[in-house]
Amino acid sequence: MTLNLQVLAQNHEALLLAEVAALLHDIGKFCNLHIEAHTKGGTRKWANDHAYKALVDTPASQIRLSRQASSLKKPDALNNVLNAESPKAADFLDPAFKDFLANNTLTILGETYTLAELIMLGTPGFATDKNRSDLLDGKSGWLAAVLGVCHNEAHVDKQDPAKGEGEQTWPNVFMSDAFGFEKEKVVVDASPNSLDARLKNLPIHDGRNAILNALMYGLGDIRRPINEVLLSDWGWTVASLFKSAVAGALVKNQQFAIRQWKSWKDKIIDHDLHWRILRVNFDVLGLYAKAIKIADLLGYQRAVDGACERVKKLIEEEYPLGNEIYRDTTGIYFTFPDLDLPVDLAQEIRCRVEEVEVELAPHIDVTIGDGNTAQDQLKKILGKARREALESLAQPFDDQNLSVCWQQQWKTVGQGNWELCPVCRLRPKKEDEQACPTCLKRRTPRVKEWLEDLSTTIWTDEVADTNGRLALIVGQFGLEDWLNGQLVQTLTVTEPQNGNAVLKNPSPARLRRVWETTRAFWQEVLPTEKKKEDRRQSLVEQILTWPQGRLSITPRNGVPQRVVPHHTYDLIVNNVAVSVVWDGERFLTCDNLDYLAKPEQLGRPLTQCLASGKDFNLEEPVGYGGKNKKAGKITIGEVNEINTSYLPAVPILAEPRTFMALVPADRALQIVQAIKCKYESEMGKVRNRLPLTLG
């Protein structure tokens, strides 16, 4: 099948505006009043049931009714918005935000809306009204109806507790993680961190991600146990479904039929919309397993992340077909229209991945959900997609991604002795080199990043304790039965009645929350991501003592020709090897100075051994078991102390399934005990279903 990508490119701006409308479709919930109106003890209420949808001061100026509308029965969702008095959502919005919603328009398949109009009409009640096609001036209301359907189908993730159950008490309203642990309170006071203040300052012109980051402080639903659904999750789910549905309609050049309620009780709408999942899979764990050095593993991480971001840009922005809804060590997953995977799109995705790294060998396919209705399909579609991914990744190279480039590289090697690269195990390398040029290049950025932030370390010698020992801490969550959806269905929405309870659906958003909750757990132990200004100290940072200082050694007469920037060398001082890094102007020590000063090493501080004008040999390490190469001599010019303290730990992995970090050996058991206590506190409700292995 050939997909007309050009029609998506032509409607690029309209599709992205439609996505914004869906992201903001419940923005009225992002204020103190909405929390108060839906909690015990709250005294203030909305003007009516849909006043939280009234985003402009005069909704009738945006929603233009047809002539015959006055004689037709209109849905409550429409009447309530048109007749909403204060308090309504518009009372809490910044004037510039209201202007943005009122003045930005989009046209899809002949229907034109302002953002405000689309959001206010995008409800299930409007979508299913029998008079819908006759209510609006000059249009059938189809596009708004699609948004209403997407809102309804997204309830596969936000099942309703029984009436009166799960209510929280004003103003003590909490948000939960995927496993029911409540540690964040929704701020509903008058401070700059309150929902009201965040809504006033919503970064609407800073892009989609900025909006989503703001919405993480609100709740999609206040009731327990679905207070796990953040407003960012809820908006993203609806936006992803809406974007793919509209893209599919554009490609097929048809308006999918939307009829009335098939079952009001079960919230099932009769319509022809369906979705699939596009998956781009990589054998990430297989890549990690090939790593010889930490830098190899982190280099593969960067390659995988870079490839995912390239594909994400293609699918979400260039040809807006859907949104990323999940990502893990099997690859990246997107919502997708109800279409077979076009050959030309698959080829374009492969090209984007190979621009980053041919070695990633992507498996690209779409998954169709099981079930008769769209909601049935969405319940378990991501679990099915992951199972299909694992099956395809069992054979990392198949006819889909075998490349002649590997044979070509071996045919074009020059003279000399060549052998298989021990890292990638695909490319040729020179006999006297540690790895092939590609794998060596993959290691280089890590040293550059360290030189830019000396409050961290990447060197095992600096991590070692005062006895020269270090420990590798490894943790692993037993996540597989959570990610295939089986154990998600052990979580209940309602108490059992007559032996039956409403169980949580293993929806894509819920599986993503499981993944994000366990990932956040490890990031709070020891982050692999760069620090944010407002980030609290991690568990490991609180336990370890931060050493003060490194030495800066400036040679008097330059360095030998063999010495190149961003490489490590051994400076031989009194027959003791001192690890140093050449940054192009000076050597920086990357060793434990306290350990070097011990009697069995130098017996005194290193500064006392490095007299100005004295010569020392430099050696280049060649790896485990090999004899160092001589790199020449240097003459000491200046030796200065660098007083920047650093965390003596090297985070290797902080992914949901696996955590790995190097720490000083004398603190390892204390850190393991602290991780255990954190697990018991935060995962206590699911300890019998979410095992943690530590070592």
Side-chain angles (χ1 to χ4, degrees):
M1 171 185 173
T2 301
L3 177 65
N4 182 10
L5 297 178
Q6 195 57 39
V7 70
L8 299 176
Q10 290 168 354
N11 288 272
H12 172 268
E13 292 299 325
L15 282 165
L16 295 186
L17 274 174
E19 178 187 40
V20 170
L23 279 176
L24 300 173
H25 86 284
D26 266 352
I27 194 63
K29 295 181 178 181
F30 196 54
C31 65
N32 295 359
L33 174 60
H34 191 78
I35 302 293
E36 184 176 1
H38 292 81
T39 51
K40 294 177 184 177
T43 58
R44 297 183 303 158
K45 304 293 180 185
W46 290 108
N48 60 46
D49 287 345
H50 294 88
Y52 76 97
K53 296 287 287 188
L55 301 183
V56 291
D57 297 320
T58 54
S61 67
Q62 297 291 307
I63 302 173
R64 301 186 183 277
L65 300 180
S66 64
R67 289 182 179 179
Q68 62 265 42
S70 59
S71 60
L72 296 173
K73 187 178 186 305
K74 293 180 278 296
D76 290 343
L78 177 57
N79 279 330
N80 284 343
V81 168
L82 290 173
N83 299 321
E85 299 178 353
S86 293
K88 61 178 183 287
D91 301 342
F92 303 95
L93 301 182
D94 184 77
F97 186 17
K98 288 185 279 191
D99 288 343
F100 171 79
L101 295 174
N103 296 322
N104 277 280
T105 62
L106 66 147
T107 302
I108 299 286
L109 292 177
E111 293 200 353
T112 300
Y113 296 80
T114 65
L115 289 180
E117 181 186 18
L118 183 56
I119 292 171
M120 291 189 289
L121 292 174
T123 62
F126 177 77
T128 55
D129 189 76
K130 63 180 181 180
N131 296 321
R132 184 223 336 138
S133 60
D134 297 317
L135 292 175
L136 302 180
D137 184 22
K139 56 197 172 195
S140 69
W142 173 81
L143 187 61
V146 174
L147 180 54
V149 168
C150 292
H151 172 103
N152 187 72
E153 298 303 331
H155 271 274
V156 69
D157 185 49
K158 200 175 75 168
Q159 300 144 280
D160 290 333
K163 189 173 182 179
E165 286 188 6
E167 291 184 9
Q168 298 199 56
T169 303
W170 175 262
N172 299 311
V173 177
F174 292 86
M175 53 183 66
S176 166
D177 68 17
F179 305 117
F181 179 65
E182 296 179 346
K183 61 180 178 181
E184 296 289 341
K185 187 176 177 180
V186 181
V187 182
V188 288
D189 53 27
S191 73
N193 293 323
S194 69
L195 294 187
D196 282 353
R198 293 184 186 279
L199 180 56
K200 283 285 187 184
N201 297 305
L202 196 70
I204 53 173
H205 298 297
D206 294 343
R208 182 184 65 182
N209 291 339
I211 295 173
L212 285 169
N213 288 336
L215 296 182
M216 289 176 65
Y217 295 93
L219 280 172
D221 203 294
I222 299 157
R223 296 166 295 175
R224 296 184 173 109
I226 58 172
N227 58 326
E228 58 174 327
V229 183
L230 304 183
L231 200 55
S232 54
D233 293 328
W234 178 239
W236 187 248
T237 300
V238 175
S240 300
L241 295 177
F242 187 51
K243 189 178 188 178
S244 292
V246 175
L250 283 168
V251 169
K252 292 186 175 182
N253 193 30
Q254 70 177 82
Q255 294 184 356
F256 299 112
I258 298 172
R259 292 170 284 273
Q260 294 175 271
W261 289 106
K262 183 179 288 187
S263 170
W264 165 255
K265 178 184 176 183
D266 299 318
K267 298 294 186 289
I268 299 174
I269 298 175
D270 186 11
H271 63 82
D272 292 341
L273 289 167
H274 291 275
W275 292 267
R276 301 187 186 187
I277 284 183
L278 168 66
R279 53 183 177 84
V280 182
N281 300 117
F282 314 103
D283 184 19
V284 177
L285 296 180
L287 293 169
Y288 290 173
K290 295 199 293 185
I292 293 176
K293 293 189 174 186
I294 296 172
D296 297 326
L297 188 151
L298 299 181
Y300 279 126
Q301 274 186 338
R302 282 191 294 269
V304 172
D305 289 344
C308 287
E309 290 305 312
R310 291 281 187 97
V311 176
K312 185 179 171 77
K313 184 175 178 62
L314 176 69
I315 301 300
E316 293 186 358
E317 298 179 31
E318 295 181 34
Y319 302 116
L321 283 156
N323 284 335
E324 177 191 344
I325 54 167
Y326 185 71
R327 189 190 306 197
D328 68 8
T329 50
T330 63
I332 186 168
Y333 300 75
F334 300 88
T335 54
F336 199 70
D338 189 23
L339 303 166
D340 293 332
L341 178 64
V343 175
D344 50 348
L345 179 62
Q347 185 59 36
E348 184 65 24
I349 293 171
R350 187 173 307 284
C351 289
R352 298 296 173 96
V353 172
E354 291 180 350
E355 286 172 4
V356 177
E357 175 55 78
V358 181
E359 200 177 332
L360 296 181
H363 294 248
I364 307 162
D365 212 336
V366 294
T367 296
I368 305 172
D370 296 328
N372 295 322
T373 67
Q375 200 163 92
D376 286 341
Q377 292 171 1
L378 289 172
K379 282 180 184 177
K380 299 182 179 181
I381 191 170
L382 182 56
K384 181 181 180 182
R386 286 192 78 258
R387 289 193 298 273
E388 291 178 352
L390 291 169
E391 290 172 4
S392 66
L393 291 173
Q395 298 292 332
F397 289 93
D398 58 17
D399 56 1
Q400 194 183 118
N401 52 36
L402 283 174
S403 176
V404 297
C405 76
W406 308 119
Q407 288 179 305
Q408 192 64 32
Q409 289 192 39
W410 285 91
K411 290 179 180 178
T412 57
V413 295
Q415 294 183 347
N417 295 323
W418 296 81
E419 58 187 36
L420 186 67
C421 173
V423 181
C424 65
R425 302 172 199 171
L426 290 166
R427 302 176 181 88
K429 80 165 188 76
K430 290 184 178 180
E431 189 177 41
D432 58 347
E433 295 289 345
Q434 294 184 31
C436 68
T438 300
C439 292
L440 289 175
K441 184 179 179 182
R442 198 182 289 128
R443 295 173 177 176
T444 303
R446 192 161 177 252
V447 181
K448 292 180 180 177
E449 291 169 4
W450 172 72
L451 289 169
E452 293 171 358
D453 183 8
L454 294 178
S455 66
T456 63
T457 186
I458 60 174
W459 312 108
T460 55
D461 289 333
E462 285 191 330
V463 173
D465 61 21
T466 54
N467 294 311
R469 303 173 306 171
L470 54 91
L472 175 66
I473 293 180
V474 180
Q476 188 174 59
F477 281 116
L479 277 176
E480 191 52 45
D481 286 338
W482 285 96
L483 298 179
N484 65 25
Q486 292 181 23
L487 287 178
V488 169
Q489 294 175 294
T490 66
L491 303 174
T492 59
V493 178
T494 63
E495 294 291 332
Q497 296 181 354
N498 301 322
N500 295 315
V502 176
L503 305 178
K504 289 190 175 182
N505 291 321
S507 62
R510 185 160 280 125
L511 296 194
R512 188 182 73 243
R513 278 195 291 275
V514 168
W515 186 257
E516 288 175 343
T517 297
T518 48
R519 185 174 189 274
F521 180 94
W522 293 124
Q523 290 291 334
E524 290 167 9
V525 171
L526 183 62
T528 55
E529 299 172 343
K530 288 187 176 181
K531 293 182 180 180
K532 296 179 181 178
E533 291 183 5
D534 60 345
R535 188 178 61 79
R536 288 165 286 189
Q537 273 200 324
S538 68
L539 184 149
V540 171
E541 288 172 327
Q542 296 172 39
I543 292 174
L544 295 182
T545 301
W546 293 47
Q548 280 283 349
R550 297 180 175 95
L551 296 183
S552 167
I553 305 167
T554 305
R556 176 173 292 178
N557 300 315
V559 295
Q561 191 173 0
R562 283 186 67 92
V563 176
V564 294
H566 307 136
H567 280 61
T568 56
Y569 299 90
D570 285 344
L571 184 66
I572 308 302
V573 181
N574 299 344
N575 295 319
V576 173
V578 178
S579 296
V580 293
V581 180
W582 177 242
D583 71 356
E585 296 180 356
R586 59 182 179 168
F587 289 99
L588 299 178
T589 58
C590 54
D591 217 325
N592 187 323
L593 300 184
D594 291 334
Y595 174 65
L596 290 173
K598 291 176 73 75
E600 58 269 28
Q601 296 297 311
L602 294 174
R604 53 181 173 155
L606 179 59
T607 51
Q608 297 179 14
C609 303
L610 300 176
S612 179
K614 196 171 181 180
D615 293 339
F616 293 93
N617 288 325
L618 269 182
E619 294 182 353
E620 182 180 355
V622 296
Y624 181 76
K627 186 177 180 181
N628 287 359
K629 295 179 183 178
K630 291 184 179 180
K633 289 186 177 183
I634 64 166
T635 302
I636 302 297
E638 292 184 9
V639 178
N640 297 303
E641 292 188 5
I642 301 174
N643 292 321
T644 304
S645 60
Y646 62 91
L647 177 68
V650 175
I652 302 172
L653 279 177
E655 295 297 327
R657 195 188 306 271
T658 305
F659 172 81
M660 296 175 69
L662 291 169
V663 299
D666 59 359
R667 295 296 183 94
L669 290 178
Q670 185 180 352
I671 292 171
V672 167
Q673 184 62 37
I675 295 172
K676 179 174 177 286
C677 291
K678 178 178 172 66
Y679 163 74
E680 290 171 347
S681 171
E682 298 181 13
M683 313 296 190
K685 293 183 179 180
V686 293
R687 283 180 63 186
N688 61 335
R689 287 159 284 172
L690 182 62
L692 172 64
T693 303
L694 279 173

